Amino acid sequence: MTLWHGRFSSEPSVELWEFTESLTFDKTLALDDITGSKAHLAGLERVGVLLPEEAATLHGALSLVEAEFLDSKFVFNERDEDIHTAIERRVTELAGDVGAKLHTARSRNDQVATDLKIFTRRELKIVAERILGLQQLLLDLSREAHDAYLPGYTHMQKAQPVLFGHHLMAHGWALARDFDRILATISRLNICPLGAGALGGSTVAIDPKFTSDLLGFRAPFENSLDAVSDRDFVAEALFDLALVGVHLSRIGEEIVLWSTEEFGFIRLSDSYSTGSSMLPQKKNPDIAELARGKTGRLIGHLAGFLATLKGLPLSYNRDLQEDKEPLFDALKQTTRSLLAVKGMLATASFDFSRMRKAADSPYLCAIDLAEFLVKQGHPFRKAHAIIGGIVRDSIERHVQMQELVEAHPLLGIEAARLLEPGESVRRRVTAGGSGIEAVALQRERYSEQLQQDQKRLDLIN
Ligand code: ARG
């Protein structure tokens, strides 16, 4: 029997059932559905729709169903259309007639929106926690790197030496923004839809504020049509997760490059690499590649779901059932990716001497030479042209930069010292730049922000 059988003269067709059911995936919401139902029945009791003993019976039945799920003993029935139907059916089996009162002044429309918000709030918090974990690791690695430096690239061409610790923190700041964005998404979604009913509320005087408080939401809905139609929080979560994915993908791409023989900046631990089924010598950076590859899927989930939402009239439409699979998958892939990337980086060994060697080319100090001339009073454009000429000369005539700089009337021995290994990062002074002191200060600020962010996270219920 379906929930709506009263109005229908025939049973649903197999095709309808197979095409429209959502139990196969929305069973993920089982415990959150029970949480929502417990709050709803407390609300019904409060306004006298349920007698205290009826509410107690229903509460007991819901707790039994909860235990069945926790022990993986819940038995689904082939007529369970979705998780809400399944739980209501089982509660009624256990509680008897009073089970039929649970759905008073409630629709699956406000119910599913409430369940999904409770679920998303909790799962996004887990993602935020894992982001902080990876951010902390990047800070630790940055500290351990001391004054190690590597070539900084633009256009994938060697540009200037940068401290490795600075490079790591660059990824850390991107993750800090992801964290902030996820907390903002949680804050915005924290409005409780329960009580909106199918779309317009009901004639039963339930109190949405009461159930909103019970479920730990910031406030109840202002508009019942919006409450059951709103899936902004799903779209926002999908965007947040896709962007986390993009950031992990950029880290992944670097690890793939750095672990090549050609770069050789990093060696991955055996526990975080894979082998080849054919070529015995291979050790592959699969985590880094999948952190990169899975991001395509995350972007797809966002684009797909926005397309689902586009053009939907108010209020609830069955299209909205399409919110769950992308969201569940995006959360799963992102939480796993964050852990895997963290493990891979935590166990990798970095080859600082290979990094240094790759950065110890005098050409990477060309800007320092130009700035030497600027400090002598020459306009920057002129300095740029002079040093550019020396670089060209050095390449075309196969003469060491050192030699040309020493011999140049405007440069000489003092300027040539700027070409010595490590000199460039030691002299960098811009706040927020890649100089040794600036990076130490940056780490302090980053570490303070990490501690504050941890506190912000702890405040979310
Ligand atoms: N399984 C549905 C969903 O996920 C539950 C809401 C169904 N509501 C309805 N009026 N058919 O959206």
Side-chain angles (χ1 to χ4, degrees):
M1 210 160 53
T2 58
L3 291 177
W4 61 83
H5 63 97
R7 160 78 176 74
F8 286 67
S9 59
S10 63
E11 286 290 299
S13 68
V14 175
E15 294 87 337
L16 172 119
W17 203 257
E18 282 184 350
F19 186 55
T20 62
E21 70 84 27
S22 57
L23 184 65
T24 29
F25 48 88
D26 67 16
K27 54 184 174 216
T28 305
L29 298 175
L31 297 178
D32 298 313
D33 191 70
I34 292 170
T35 304
S37 286
K38 282 185 172 173
H40 183 61
L41 78 86
L44 292 177
E45 180 189 358
R46 187 158 174 273
V47 296
V49 173
L50 288 175
L51 299 171
E53 48 288 12
E54 290 178 319
T57 306
L58 282 172
H59 196 277
L62 279 164
S63 293
L64 279 175
V65 176
E66 190 171 19
E68 289 181 348
F69 275 108
L70 290 172
D71 299 342
S72 305
K73 292 209 173 100
F74 187 93
V75 184
F76 288 105
N77 177 317
E78 59 175 19
R79 276 286 174 246
D80 293 339
E81 180 193 346
D82 56 22
I83 191 63
H84 324 291
T85 322
I87 290 174
E88 192 183 326
R89 189 254 313 147
R90 182 70 183 136
V91 164
T92 309
E93 283 168 11
L94 292 167
D97 290 349
V98 67
K101 292 192 174 183
L102 179 61
H103 211 54
T104 312
R106 184 175 71 168
S107 155
R108 279 182 298 160
N109 301 351
D110 58 342
Q111 184 178 1
V112 71
T114 306
D115 294 0
L116 197 61
K117 281 189 162 189
I118 297 172
F119 169 87
T120 306
R121 190 171 61 178
R122 183 187 57 248
E123 296 299 317
L124 281 182
K125 195 180 165 192
I126 294 172
V127 176
E129 247 160 41
R130 294 195 180 178
I131 290 176
L132 283 188
L134 180 54
Q135 279 188 262
Q136 181 65 50
L137 174 71
L138 291 169
L139 176 62
D140 297 343
L141 292 174
S142 171
R143 286 197 177 114
E144 283 164 26
H146 297 291
D147 57 356
Y149 54 88
L150 76 172
Y153 298 81
T154 62
H155 315 271
M156 248 346 252
Q157 305 290 317
K158 286 184 187 177
Q160 272 184 297
V162 293
L163 287 173
F164 182 50
H166 189 56
H167 189 110
L168 290 168
M169 301 289 292
H171 290 302
W173 290 107
L175 291 168
R177 291 191 295 277
D178 288 328
F179 176 90
D180 195 56
R181 213 169 350 256
I182 286 174
L183 261 57
T185 298
I186 292 176
S187 156
R188 251 189 308 275
L189 78 68
N190 222 355
I191 298 293
C192 188
L194 195 58
L199 76 166
S202 86
T203 58
V204 179
I206 46 160
D207 178 6
K209 169 89 170 75
F210 174 76
T211 40
S212 168
D213 288 347
L214 268 187
L215 292 169
F217 283 94
R218 182 153 49 85
F221 60 92
E222 293 286 354
N223 180 311
S224 61
L225 289 171
D226 181 44
V228 297
S229 306
D230 171 28
R231 291 296 183 278
D232 290 3
F233 67 101
V234 177
E236 280 191 50
L238 290 173
F239 173 75
D240 297 349
L241 297 170
L243 198 52
V244 171
V246 166
H247 292 146
L248 294 178
S249 148
R250 295 177 79 168
I251 295 176
E253 167 65 7
E254 282 182 353
I255 301 303
V256 170
L257 279 176
W258 290 356
S259 61
T260 57
E261 202 182 317
E262 290 76 0
F263 273 81
F265 293 173
I266 191 174
R267 265 185 309 278
L268 298 181
S269 148
D270 282 2
S271 311
Y272 288 85
S273 327
T274 54
S276 154
S277 58
M278 179 171 171
L279 309 173
Q281 87 284 10
K282 294 292 299 294
K283 190 166 135 181
N284 298 327
D286 286 23
I287 290 179
E289 289 171 294
L290 278 174
R292 191 177 59 186
K294 280 177 188 279
T295 300
R297 185 194 318 196
L298 297 176
I299 295 167
H301 287 328
L302 171 65
F305 187 59
L306 286 174
T308 298
L309 289 181
K310 179 192 165 296
L312 281 190
L314 292 177
S315 59
Y316 179 83
N317 298 275
R318 192 65 180 267
D319 314 48
L320 292 178
Q321 181 171 288
E322 287 295 300
D323 54 5
K324 290 167 204 68
E325 286 167 291
L327 180 66
F328 295 169
D329 184 58
L331 284 163
K332 184 164 94 182
Q333 301 308 330
T334 311
T335 43
R336 287 184 180 176
S337 181
L338 280 162
L339 278 195
V341 168
K342 182 177 168 211
M344 171 182 68
L345 291 174
T347 53
S349 50
F350 296 97
D351 191 335
F352 296 144
S353 79
R354 284 286 302 240
M355 291 184 188
R356 279 201 182 91
K357 225 176 266 165
D360 280 339
S361 150
Y363 298 123
L364 273 71
C365 303
I367 181 63
D368 301 327
L369 293 172
E371 285 170 357
F372 173 88
L373 290 175
V374 165
K375 287 175 200 158
Q376 313 288 312
H378 299 282
F380 178 70
R381 271 298 143 237
K382 180 181 162 200
H384 187 288
I386 292 171
I387 306 300
I390 295 176
V391 169
R392 182 156 44 88
D393 212 17
S394 159
I395 294 169
E396 282 174 5
R397 296 200 293 124
H398 306 287
V399 188
Q400 297 285 326
M401 277 286 279
Q402 198 86 17
E403 226 174 275
L404 297 173
V405 170
E406 275 175 24
H408 197 283
L410 294 176
L411 294 161
I413 305 275
E414 203 192 328
R417 267 194 217 113
L418 301 178
L419 303 178
E420 281 165 23
E423 214 37 37
S424 180
V425 280
R426 278 192 288 277
R427 286 174 185 260
R428 217 73 63 67
V429 292
T430 317
S434 183
I436 290 175
E437 268 171 49
V439 171
L441 267 175
Q442 177 192 165
R443 266 196 296 263
E444 267 172 46
R445 268 199 282 275
Y446 176 93
S447 166
E448 274 163 29
Q449 188 173 321
L450 258 187
Q451 283 166 25
Q452 273 167 20
D453 283 349
Q454 182 64 57
K455 284 190 200 134
R456 287 167 73 199
L457 190 66
D458 295 340
L459 284 175
I460 300 174
N461 51 11

